[in-house]
Amino acid sequence: MRLVFMGPPGVGKGTQAKFLESRLGVPHLSTGDLLRVAVKEGTSLGRRAKTFMEEGRLVPDEVIGDLIGERLQRADAGSGFVLDGFPRTVEQVAILDRVLARIGCALDGVFILRASEAEIVRRLTGRRTCPRCGAVFHIESRPPKSAGICDTCGSALVLRPDDTEDVIRERLRVYEEQTLPVAETYRGRGLLREIDGTGDAETVRGQLEAEIVRR
Ligand code: AMP
């Protein structure tokens, strides 16, 4: 199955995309994760992306197009994928259309998770991530066993540099302005399914499961 998984930053996309990955047996491809690896490794793509990411702005479309074009052609994406964080602009929808046409396949669906701005700010300012293994915690709803320490690998947890309140509000503004039109494009194609992202992870997962079974 080939899915696009959309939603504002902090709505719980990463957690649910991991569920879809194991449920469907296809890779979860997050452009945010791919970019963070590139920044950490200091590749030329990472150097181009760094400032945009720190300021909560979108990385230019041509950078993302190269990144995703290359990733979707790898063997593990052959039987399907869950795209997370891409496409984020109407131009990126066209980029994805071209990549899919080149590899001879089409999308099966687009899921969008929704939540209020207040809930998103609460979730993101409390989010702590592990810089080594990528595990994600929340100081209230999913605290690590020992404060500030990753349960999985023991590293010190950090607040992502773009999870500060100012940058979160900028990311939400960008989402509304540039990414919501993407959802409307897919609605027009009859592919969009809306999911309430405000409940706990189990409840949201149940709704996703129902959507998958319905397809
Ligand atoms: P995320 O982890 O999806 O919230 O992405 C973190 C940051 O990476 C975003 O705020 C953007 O700066 C950048 N980014 C991720 N995906 C894209 C994309 N499809 N287009 C442009 N920039 C992106």
Side-chain angles (χ1 to χ4, degrees):
M1 201 186 259
R2 296 177 178 87
L3 292 179
V4 166
F5 196 37
M6 300 182 61
V11 75
K13 273 197 314 295
T15 308
Q16 299 299 337
K18 287 282 167 220
F19 157 66
L20 289 174
E21 178 177 61
S22 61
R23 170 68 175 77
L24 301 170
V26 296
H28 161 218
L29 307 180
S30 150
T31 42
D33 286 350
L34 293 171
L35 287 167
R36 278 184 288 278
V37 169
V39 169
K40 200 167 159 192
E41 290 177 348
T43 64
S44 67
L45 191 145
R47 287 196 301 276
R48 285 189 70 190
K50 190 168 188 280
T51 315
F52 292 99
M53 294 176 76
E54 282 169 355
E55 292 172 359
R57 289 185 293 142
L58 293 185
V59 172
D61 286 340
E62 66 273 13
V63 177
I64 294 292
D66 290 348
L67 184 79
I68 207 75
E70 189 272 327
R71 185 63 188 84
L72 286 182
Q73 284 176 65
R74 284 202 222 154
D76 66 342
S79 58
F81 47 75
V82 176
L83 278 179
D84 165 7
F86 175 86
R88 247 175 161 105
T89 62
V90 171
E91 290 73 24
Q92 291 182 10
V93 173
I95 292 175
L96 180 58
D97 287 343
R98 283 196 293 276
V99 174
L100 292 178
R102 198 161 61 224
I103 56 182
C105 55
L107 287 178
D108 296 297
V110 176
F111 293 168
I112 185 165
L113 283 184
R114 298 205 184 265
S116 71
E117 179 163 338
E119 174 65 9
I120 284 163
V121 172
R122 187 195 72 78
R123 288 192 192 182
L124 286 182
T125 49
R127 176 160 84 174
R128 297 292 180 274
T129 56
C130 175
R132 186 174 336 147
C133 74
V136 182
F137 300 87
H138 189 279
I139 50 176
E140 290 161 10
S141 53
R142 193 170 179 262
K145 290 193 190 92
S146 168
I149 303 294
C150 177
D151 288 353
T152 315
C153 74
S155 302
L157 299 175
V158 296
L159 180 70
R160 248 172 64 173
D162 57 351
D163 279 349
T164 58
E165 189 153 345
D166 282 357
V167 181
I168 290 167
R169 296 218 185 265
E170 174 62 10
R171 287 162 67 201
L172 285 171
R173 194 190 62 74
V174 168
Y175 178 78
E176 270 172 37
E177 237 177 64
Q178 305 199 51
T179 308
L180 283 182
V182 170
E184 293 314 309
T185 303
Y186 286 128
R187 191 195 303 282
R189 296 184 188 181
L191 287 170
L192 194 71
R193 300 285 174 273
E194 301 192 54
I195 298 188
D196 180 6
T198 43
D200 60 23
E202 281 303 310
T203 311
V204 177
R205 178 187 297 198
Q207 293 179 64
L208 279 171
E209 178 66 33
E211 279 299 335
I212 292 168
V213 171
R214 194 170 305 149
R215 295 195 61 80

